[in-house]
Amino acid sequence: MDLRERFTNELKTAMLAKDAPRVATLRMITAKLKDADIAARPGPPLDEAGIVGMLRGMAKSRRESVELYRQGNRPELAEKEEAEISVIEAFLPQQMDAAAMEAAVREAVAETGAAGPKDMGKVMAALKAKHAASLDMSKAGPLVKAALGG
């Protein structure tokens, strides 16, 4: 089952369960997806990788909001954002742990024949091509830099 079908099925389930916060979050996800599909016109709608990227962006913006709400002493809004994050992250693929990430970086460095910091772009491109769904590229960057002696 692809992500679009999962969104629809989860929305139906949440509506039947009268889970208002989950319904609101799922409707927000589907609205964002529809906006992204419209923006992609006249080309094809977002593929699975594009949807995963969209979901990651949504989760990241909510994490930033949580920090700001906590700094502004608004715990009720921070809790609402955290609930949305948990719904969004349920649709994301499992992320690599630190050991698997380091192994993937070593493998990408070996595959590309990278010799120094100037080859960081090649290594990052190889990582993205092979592990885009399960690898957080923002965490991989420092590991690649360290592996290349940068």
Side-chain angles (χ1 to χ4, degrees):
M1 178 182 331
D2 70 347
L3 282 172
R4 291 173 192 270
E5 292 173 11
R6 281 185 58 203
F7 295 146
T8 304
N9 291 339
E10 291 286 328
L11 180 59
K12 288 177 187 174
T13 304
M15 290 171 84
L16 289 173
K18 297 186 184 344
D19 186 352
R22 187 169 176 83
V23 168
T25 303
L26 289 165
R27 283 187 174 154
M28 178 183 51
I29 290 170
T30 55
K32 177 85 171 173
L33 180 57
K34 192 172 284 188
D35 287 344
D37 285 342
I38 290 170
R41 286 182 187 162
L46 254 54
D47 59 352
E48 292 287 312
I51 295 172
V52 168
M54 179 197 76
L55 291 172
R56 280 210 177 102
M58 292 174 73
K60 180 181 177 188
S61 69
R62 275 157 189 71
R63 278 189 211 95
E64 292 167 357
S65 296
V66 166
E67 288 180 33
L68 293 173
Y69 288 142
R70 297 236 185 268
Q71 290 171 4
N73 199 23
R74 298 292 308 263
E76 70 283 355
L77 293 175
E79 289 171 13
K80 179 181 177 280
E81 294 287 324
E82 287 171 339
E84 290 177 1
I85 290 170
S86 67
V87 171
I88 293 168
E89 286 182 341
F91 294 100
L92 291 172
Q94 188 67 32
Q95 293 291 299
M96 285 186 180
D97 63 351
M101 197 179 306
E102 288 175 14
V105 167
R106 282 193 303 273
E107 180 183 325
V109 168
E111 282 178 7
T112 59
K118 65 180 178 9
D119 295 326
M120 187 168 172
K122 285 197 288 187
V123 176
M124 293 298 284
L127 282 171
K128 189 169 186 174
K130 197 167 189 179
H131 304 286
S134 61
L135 181 67
D136 185 352
M137 297 306 284
S138 64
K139 292 178 182 173
L143 290 175
V144 171
K145 195 172 189 178
L148 296 176

